[in-house]
Amino acid sequence: MQLRKVTAASAAVLALALTATACGSDKEDGGSGDGKKITIGIKIDQPGIGLKTPDGKYTGFDVDVATYVAKELGYDAKDIVFKETKSADRETAIERGDVKFIAASYSINDERLQKVDFAGPYLLAHQDILVRADDDSIKSPADLNNKKLCSVAGSTSAKNVKDKLAPKADLQTYGGYSECLTGLENKVIDALTTDDSILAGYASQQNFQGKFKLAGFKMTNENYGIGLKKGDADLKKKINDALTKMVSDGSWDKAVKANFGPANYKNEPAPKIGNIVK
């Protein structure tokens, strides 16, 4: 009788162990590529960069880069779990292990390098302005003086312009970039400023194509990198190798054209790995 009790208990333990193993099969595998899931941080509200569409799909240049990298790490598209990571939460998401890596218009800078590591860069963007296609009055940043410049709540881009380049610019604060674009289209504002890649993504939307143009001022250098946990040298090398391959096989150019092409975005050539442009 005692033997039966032990056997039954052992069987129960074994069943629990098997169940736990089965439940754990969908967890992230840390880059071994054995068919398990990988969680990647992206933006979900930036057209051309990272956007979640109403049907639940994800589009944008960062999404294409992340998908390519994940494939090189051994994951099919179905194995990717995209997770929204807002700008203020990116370092925390990496440090907590909520994501394996982040591709979300994530500029490499010294402050962030204190907390996380970066692979890349994979895109060199610049702060620029977007104006109406028929507006030729703004030929330099100084021409923004006495113009209505759109600023998204929480953004420092417009403040940088006002503080350094056009102190008499009339800042107009909106809740989001889409509202700025509507204001620009309706001539309520004169210009919108942020990274040129983000501006190109918005201007490439079907309902805005042909209505706006980038000024091409290149006011700052923004080196977009893939953020990952500090000290994970193996993963960093694998991601850098994947980015190098993406450029060499033409997939990088294809992704740029697909996501930014309609806005006539004059992108910089693909940056070399580790080449941070100041």
Side-chain angles (χ1 to χ4, degrees):
M1 189 68 178
Q2 182 67 25
L3 181 59
R4 287 182 180 179
K5 286 182 179 180
V6 172
T7 303
S10 300
V13 170
L14 178 60
L16 285 171
L18 290 173
T19 300
T21 302
C23 291
S25 63
D26 287 336
K27 291 183 178 180
E28 186 179 318
D29 70 353
S32 63
D34 61 0
K36 297 178 183 178
K37 303 293 184 183
I38 183 170
T39 303
I40 302 173
I42 59 166
K43 292 289 182 69
I44 65 169
D45 57 356
Q46 291 183 346
I49 298 289
L51 181 70
K52 185 177 182 180
T53 59
D55 60 359
K57 295 180 180 179
Y58 297 91
T59 66
F61 182 70
D62 283 352
V63 173
D64 290 344
V65 169
T67 301
Y68 188 99
V69 169
K71 182 179 179 181
E72 290 301 303
L73 292 177
Y75 299 93
D76 293 330
K78 64 180 176 59
D79 299 323
I80 299 173
V81 177
F82 286 119
K83 182 180 180 66
E84 179 185 14
T85 49
K86 296 181 179 180
S87 296
D89 301 330
R90 288 178 296 204
E91 287 82 32
T92 302
I94 291 172
E95 291 172 337
R96 271 199 316 242
D98 295 344
V99 296
K100 193 65 181 176
F101 63 80
I102 290 178
S105 56
Y106 201 3
S107 297
I108 302 170
N109 62 36
D110 292 338
E111 182 180 353
R112 290 167 180 164
L113 282 167
Q114 298 299 313
K115 299 178 180 179
V116 299
D117 279 343
F118 283 95
Y122 63 89
L123 183 72
L124 175 59
H126 307 280
Q127 185 180 342
D128 200 355
I129 67 165
L130 193 72
V131 297
R132 288 181 293 278
D134 60 356
D135 185 355
D136 295 321
S137 67
I138 304 174
K139 296 180 172 62
S140 73
D143 292 331
L144 291 167
N145 282 309
N146 301 315
K147 296 283 190 179
K148 292 180 179 178
L149 179 65
C150 188
S151 172
V152 174
S155 169
T156 60
S157 297
K159 186 176 183 298
N160 289 340
V161 172
K162 186 173 176 65
D163 289 348
K164 300 175 183 178
L165 302 169
K168 294 182 180 179
D170 181 10
L171 290 186
Q172 306 286 309
T173 302
Y174 284 65
Y177 291 117
S178 295
E179 295 171 49
C180 285
L181 284 167
T182 300
L184 188 59
E185 183 179 18
N186 296 330
K187 300 185 178 181
V188 177
I189 62 168
D190 300 304
L192 161 62
T193 186
T194 187
D195 294 357
D196 53 7
S197 56
I198 296 173
L199 295 175
Y202 276 99
S204 294
Q205 293 180 96
Q206 189 170 2
N207 56 321
F208 289 135
Q209 287 180 21
K211 295 181 178 180
F212 308 111
K213 64 183 179 182
L214 288 158
F217 290 158
K218 298 184 179 181
M219 293 179 280
T220 64
N221 294 321
E222 306 295 336
N223 298 274
Y224 288 4
I226 291 182
L228 63 148
K229 186 165 288 188
K230 197 163 186 64
D232 195 339
D234 182 59
L235 180 61
K236 180 177 178 178
K237 182 182 184 304
K238 288 178 179 178
I239 294 176
N240 279 336
D241 289 345
L243 293 173
T244 301
K245 182 178 178 181
M246 186 178 186
V247 173
S248 66
D249 69 11
S251 298
W252 188 90
D253 284 321
K254 183 179 178 181
V256 168
K257 184 176 181 180
N259 292 292
F260 306 128
N264 294 316
Y265 174 49
K266 295 178 175 60
N267 63 282
E268 298 280 3
K272 292 183 179 179
I273 298 299
N275 184 24
I276 308 298
V277 180
K278 299 292 187 181

